[in-house]
Amino acid sequence: MPLFDLVIRNGRVATGSDEFLADIGIKDGHITALGEIPSKGTREIDATDKLVLPGGVDAHCHLDQPSGDGIKMADDFVTGPRSAAFGGTTTILPFACQEKGQSLRAAVTDYHARAAGKSVIDFAFHLIVTDPTAQVIGQELPALIRDGYTSFKIYMTYDDLKLNDRQILDVLDLARREDALTMIHAENADCISWLTDKLVQEGHTAPKYHAQARPPLVEREATQRAIALAELIDVPMLVVHVSGPEAIEQIRNAQSRGLKIFGETCPQYLFMTMDDLDLDGFEGAKHICSPPPRDASSQKQVWNALLNDTLKIFSSDHAPFRYEGGDGKKHAGELASFEHVPNGIPGLETRLPLLFSEGVVSGRMSLNRFVRLTATNPAKLYGLYPRKGTIAIGSDADLAIWDPQKEVTIRNEDLHHAVDYTPYEGRIVTGWPETVLSRGEIIIQDGHLHAASGRGEFLRCAAPMTADL
Ligand code: URP
Ligand code: ZN
Ligand code: ZN
């Protein structure tokens, strides 16, 4: 009986800190040997001239999340995880969103029902807390944290989601008591609604005005306020989808004062600008997300913040709405005012290839930094490390074997999500994950899916490893 179910030979292995030539031996879904492996496995993969990286951990994506008003997310727990896998991601953390008035436990039960038997890769849930009642703070959240839901997102904007500062303090205080992580969407709601009303009254309703309704200062102010609230409670916090230098400056300043404030950014802030909101006709709606993409100089500063460790996590913020049809970007009509266009863009499958190409291949960032940003750091922050996010003895054999030279033109027709567009249509990238393994099983090879929906397991997260980041 061979010692290994699978041996990956001669690959250039990279983790968040090391890079070396090695064979990888896999048994029962785990990595059991690393180095020169003399014995043959039941199966073998030749990875000569290839990179073997930890499968990506995408710690911010929205799947099958009810959005109200006849709006429907295009991706569910079949298509979203499948698309992620084709892009080299083997773990995702979507959200279980509480509706105001709903119990959090009921929300979690609902999302488990949505996910049951569907995902091809492993997944955990963040919670979205929209109604932090005494019952939620005192009983439901502590119990859910113990059950492995150790992170929750809260919003400072969107009428049906936002919390006021007092409620934010309650959530942060609970996070400190129970050793959980709060993720915050930082934009000033009143400024946005005031600016939106003014723009609409003036007849400025085209998609490009989305960026004017949410200028950098509304993100800066909210980021600064959120940091002050976390400082008051003395608790770590992650600012999600940071779009530009104004918010980055607040985070950097907090970090330089010794606060455990973390920052996440997303492809849209490196690869899109506000000019994309001004495409012909209604096309700009394809790029509407919040915070909005900024200008070219902001993009540079987001790159810098990834390179100088101010921002530690790179997630897709996949929020999948179709362009055509009546349940996505155009649900309020062909030329609806920007404030009625659902916010969010797709990106699960393109997240890693975009950053690999423009980061690693272009020479901007080391391979180790790429791995840290896209796999190791999110696994640590969300309590999944070292099971996920690295290549080490005992870790799950979640691996992506990359052809670092493969040139790919991104075309929506080649992607595997259920959205009818990608904002990156026509962009050429170098490097693509060709073979993807989840717990030792080859799930993607030769451009095909080789695994069944539903094989993915639900992951219970441990406490965030913030000391290590
Ligand atoms: O526009 C965005 N980012 N939509 C997704 C929801 C969120 O706030 O992350
Ligand atoms: Zn958000
Ligand atoms: Zn999001």
Side-chain angles (χ1 to χ4, degrees):
M1 175 107 163
L3 220 48
F4 304 106
D5 302 325
L6 176 68
V7 177
I8 302 171
R9 297 218 177 264
N10 297 320
R12 184 144 203 95
V13 177
T15 67
S17 52
D18 299 298
E19 201 178 321
F20 48 91
L21 268 182
D23 306 327
I24 301 178
I26 296 166
K27 182 79 183 161
D28 296 332
H30 296 105
I31 297 169
T32 53
L34 260 178
E36 211 171 306
I37 300 180
S39 60
K40 258 183 117 38
T42 306
R43 290 184 78 174
E44 301 250 328
I45 296 178
D46 179 14
T48 307
D49 297 332
K50 303 281 176 357
L51 293 173
V52 186
L53 308 184
V57 177
D58 194 336
H60 186 159
C61 59
H62 304 266
L63 297 175
D64 200 10
Q65 204 174 301
S67 308
D69 265 359
I71 304 166
K72 191 172 161 24
M73 286 198 169
D75 282 314
D76 62 8
F77 285 84
V78 173
T79 58
R82 184 182 70 194
S83 175
F86 272 100
T89 289
T90 51
T91 303
I92 51 169
L93 288 99
F95 296 88
C97 181
Q98 176 198 30
E99 281 174 35
K100 283 199 198 288
Q102 187 189 28
S103 106
L104 249 186
R105 179 65 77 174
V108 168
T109 305
D110 174 31
Y111 278 83
H112 273 289
R114 290 167 188 272
K118 290 192 176 155
S119 182
V120 75
I121 55 174
D122 293 352
F123 62 99
F125 281 119
H126 306 292
L127 310 173
I128 292 177
V129 181
T130 62
D131 203 1
T133 59
Q135 162 83 8
V136 165
I137 294 289
Q139 282 143 49
E140 291 198 348
L141 258 177
L144 285 163
I145 291 166
R146 276 170 214 135
D147 286 350
Y149 309 86
T150 58
S151 47
F152 25 83
K153 183 175 177 189
I154 55 176
Y155 286 77
M156 300 171 86
T157 188
Y158 297 127
D159 287 344
D160 47 350
L161 300 174
K162 71 181 181 202
L163 305 189
N164 62 35
D165 290 358
R166 193 187 168 103
Q167 291 173 313
I168 293 172
L169 287 170
D170 282 340
V171 172
L172 289 168
D173 189 41
L174 175 277
R176 179 183 155 91
R177 271 203 314 277
E178 299 289 340
D179 202 5
L181 186 78
T182 308
M183 312 155 73
I184 195 147
H185 179 131
E187 289 184 294
N188 181 311
D190 284 330
C191 289
I192 292 169
S193 89
W194 188 85
L195 286 166
T196 301
D197 287 350
K198 199 160 154 33
L199 285 162
V200 172
Q201 275 159 23
E202 288 163 359
H204 297 319
T205 59
K208 69 175 176 184
Y209 293 107
H210 175 74
Q212 292 191 24
R214 308 175 99 100
L217 89 76
V218 311
E219 186 185 359
R220 183 191 70 204
E221 185 282 328
T223 304
Q224 184 189 37
R225 182 157 39 100
I227 290 170
L229 300 176
E231 185 174 4
L232 187 65
I233 303 294
D234 186 21
V235 68
M237 184 182 70
L238 171 76
V239 183
V240 293
H241 45 49
V242 172
S243 75
E246 293 80 0
I248 289 169
E249 196 189 346
Q250 300 306 319
I251 294 168
R252 187 129 186 99
N253 179 281
Q255 291 168 346
S256 70
R257 292 189 292 116
L259 303 180
K260 282 271 174 203
I261 301 296
F262 302 99
E264 170 204 73
T265 195
C266 312
Q268 44 272 41
Y269 308 115
L270 297 180
F271 302 104
M272 284 166 35
T273 68
M274 59 205 288
D275 291 346
D276 292 311
L277 296 170
D278 194 17
L279 294 175
D280 286 349
F282 198 55
E283 287 280 309
K286 291 180 175 174
H287 300 262
I288 286 187
C289 58
S290 294
R294 310 293 185 190
D295 58 12
S297 139
S298 295
Q299 282 184 337
K300 280 203 192 107
Q301 305 208 45
V302 176
W303 276 109
N304 286 344
L306 286 172
L307 296 173
N308 70 21
D309 278 332
T310 309
L311 302 177
K312 297 267 192 186
I313 308 258
F314 188 73
S315 310
S316 67
D317 193 7
H318 181 82
F321 300 106
R322 285 191 193 87
Y323 182 61
E324 299 296 349
D327 62 1
K329 294 285 184 183
K330 294 184 178 175
H331 88 103
E334 272 288 322
L335 291 173
S337 179
F338 68 86
E339 86 265 34
H340 301 305
V341 176
N343 287 196
I345 59 163
L348 272 170
E349 193 165 343
T350 45
R351 172 185 75 119
L352 294 176
L354 284 167
L355 191 70
F356 184 87
S357 185
E358 288 302 316
V360 179
V361 178
S362 76
R364 274 192 178 105
M365 73 174 53
S366 70
L367 195 51
N368 305 122
R369 182 176 294 277
F370 171 81
V371 171
R372 285 200 299 278
L373 287 167
T374 58
T376 315
N377 288 350
K380 287 181 175 172
L381 197 59
Y382 298 114
L384 293 169
Y385 184 86
R387 178 173 174 190
K388 306 293 188 188
T390 193
I391 297 177
I393 306 285
S395 295
D396 281 1
D398 285 11
L399 302 166
I401 303 176
W402 287 66
D403 178 346
Q405 279 162 358
K406 183 171 176 167
E407 259 197 14
V408 175
T409 303
I410 295 175
R411 289 200 185 87
N412 198 58
E413 63 190 45
D414 299 328
L415 300 178
H416 300 82
H417 59 199
V419 188
D420 56 357
Y421 78 96
T422 167
Y424 310 109
E425 185 75 32
R427 186 180 275 270
I428 298 169
V429 293
T430 304
W432 199 272
E434 288 200 314
T435 304
V436 180
L437 286 81
S438 165
R439 282 180 280 105
E441 187 180 343
I442 296 171
I443 58 170
I444 306 289
Q445 199 170 38
D446 301 325
H448 294 288
L449 184 69
H450 291 270
S453 294
R455 64 163 295 287
E457 289 178 1
F458 168 66
L459 304 165
R460 291 176 201 281
C461 296
M465 296 174 66
T466 52
D468 225 35
L469 278 180

